[in-house]
Amino acid sequence: MLAVDVEKRLGEFSIAVRFETAAGVTALFGPSGAGKTTLVNMIAGLVAPDRGRIMLADAVLFDSAQRIDVPAHRRRIGYVFQEGRLFPHLSVAGNLDYGRRMCGLAPDRAKMARIVDLLDLGHLTDRRTGKLSGGERQRVAVGRALLMRPRLLLLDEPLASLDAARKREILPYLERLRDEVGIPMVYVSHHAGELRRIATSVVRLDAGHVAAMGGRELLDAADADAV
């Protein structure tokens, strides 16, 4: 589904990454400073690579040789940030609907109802986001991204700002998302335990390069290295 072959220099730090993913949840795993967020920003179209090519299914999103750089809003990629980035002046329902409106999509009550049910947001739709817990805010952010009807969902450390209790609250919803929605996901984290529950494949990054690619056994190897 996703093929990435890019290079980017940021001051003294350089990224040179090549990998391909299939369906399911691909974990971008590695220590802080490995280049994970910069890489997903290149996939999203928020940062332009210096060189390379990014393809999603049969669509070329970036190609330096052909001078193709599809704008972020035309890539049909949903992005869930660490802090959610919800609009405080809108209700939960308004935040959810923003994803659809931003993409110029017609209202779809059935789709909205399905996402609200999937993420257990029905009792929250009239609330302002300032009245939500951290886990609830992230569920709304995920729902907003899904209602854009994305071809790919990027989640950049979506649980990083949550305490242990809130992480335990939201992880089952992310597992349902993986199992029931069928949208390929790239999930960024440096927590092996979190990824062990979510990921179906792993790309391990270190110092801006791919150190290994494989299954969840790479997370076990990381635990062993940390001992």
Side-chain angles (χ1 to χ4, degrees):
M1 287 292 299
L2 176 68
V4 177
D5 182 5
V6 293
E7 296 178 5
K8 180 73 176 179
R9 177 169 287 278
L10 298 165
E12 296 299 313
F13 183 72
S14 63
I15 296 175
V17 169
R18 182 177 182 178
F19 69 90
E20 295 184 3
T21 73
V25 180
T26 299
L28 291 183
F29 174 64
S32 297
K36 303 184 298 296
T37 294
T38 300
L39 179 56
V40 294
N41 282 340
M42 286 192 277
I43 296 170
L46 302 178
V47 173
D50 296 333
R51 186 210 66 80
R53 182 178 174 91
I54 301 171
M55 289 193 65
L56 180 57
D58 58 352
V60 177
L61 303 182
F62 179 87
D63 191 314
S64 57
Q66 299 185 54
R67 297 185 179 180
I68 296 171
D69 188 4
V70 177
H73 67 277
R74 292 179 50 203
R75 295 193 179 196
R76 288 186 57 201
I77 294 177
Y79 201 149
V80 179
F81 299 88
Q82 290 185 21
E83 66 279 8
R85 301 191 184 184
L86 302 180
F87 298 108
H89 63 289
L90 296 178
S91 66
V92 167
N95 271 277
L96 289 171
D97 198 46
Y98 180 83
R100 174 196 64 79
R101 291 190 292 108
M102 184 178 70
C103 294
L105 300 171
D108 187 336
R109 291 185 179 181
K111 180 75 171 179
M112 172 71 86
R114 183 185 177 204
I115 297 302
V116 166
D117 179 66
L118 176 75
L119 297 170
D120 192 22
L121 297 172
H123 62 297
L124 302 175
T125 53
D126 293 331
R127 291 191 194 178
R128 292 296 179 94
T129 58
K131 301 293 186 180
L132 304 179
S133 71
E136 289 168 343
R137 285 195 294 271
Q138 287 303 83
R139 281 154 51 198
V140 174
V142 170
R144 180 177 62 185
L146 291 174
L147 286 164
M148 295 170 59
R149 300 181 191 171
R151 297 181 295 179
L152 175 70
L153 188 62
L154 304 175
L155 300 101
D156 183 14
E157 302 262 15
L159 308 187
S161 63
L162 306 181
D163 60 28
R166 299 288 80 77
K167 287 182 180 180
R168 289 194 296 270
E169 169 193 312
I170 198 172
L171 274 168
Y173 294 102
L174 295 177
E175 290 172 321
R176 285 190 68 187
L177 179 62
R178 175 197 63 202
D179 297 338
E180 298 181 22
V181 175
I183 297 172
M185 293 184 277
V186 174
Y187 191 107
V188 175
S189 181
H190 59 272
H191 291 289
E194 179 183 324
L195 292 174
R196 196 172 284 111
R197 289 187 58 174
I198 300 296
T200 54
S201 61
V202 177
V203 177
R204 186 174 179 181
L205 296 182
D206 189 17
H209 296 75
V210 175
M213 292 185 290
R216 285 191 289 258
E217 69 276 1
L218 295 180
L219 304 173
D220 299 330
D223 287 341
D225 291 343
V227 174

